[in-house]
Amino acid sequence: MPNRLAEVEIIKDGDVYYAKIVLPSGEVVTLENEDFEEVLEQIANDLQERYSS
């Protein structure tokens, strides 16, 4: 059975993208950036730091 690593929600408010990452522990990480690709990179980097072996 697969393990859930995180839930990610991305919203845009004006010119800013907000990403909310909810981890299985209940911890919530919020990221923001005006560039969509950069917010995706921030998400990937955060998750990679947490889960890379």
Side-chain angles (χ1 to χ4, degrees):
M1 181 174 207
N3 292 328
R4 182 177 294 220
L5 298 179
E7 290 184 32
V8 178
E9 177 182 13
I10 301 173
I11 62 170
K12 183 177 181 185
D13 186 10
D15 291 336
V16 180
Y17 294 94
Y18 296 92
K20 181 172 91 170
I21 304 170
V22 181
L23 303 169
S25 66
E27 180 182 356
V28 177
V29 177
T30 305
L31 306 168
E32 64 180 79
N33 203 304
E34 291 183 1
D35 185 281
F36 184 70
E37 287 183 25
E38 286 191 27
V39 81
L40 291 176
E41 286 182 31
Q42 288 176 303
I43 294 166
N45 290 338
D46 184 272
L47 294 176
Q48 184 174 15
E49 286 176 18
R50 291 174 190 279
Y51 296 113
S52 65
S53 30

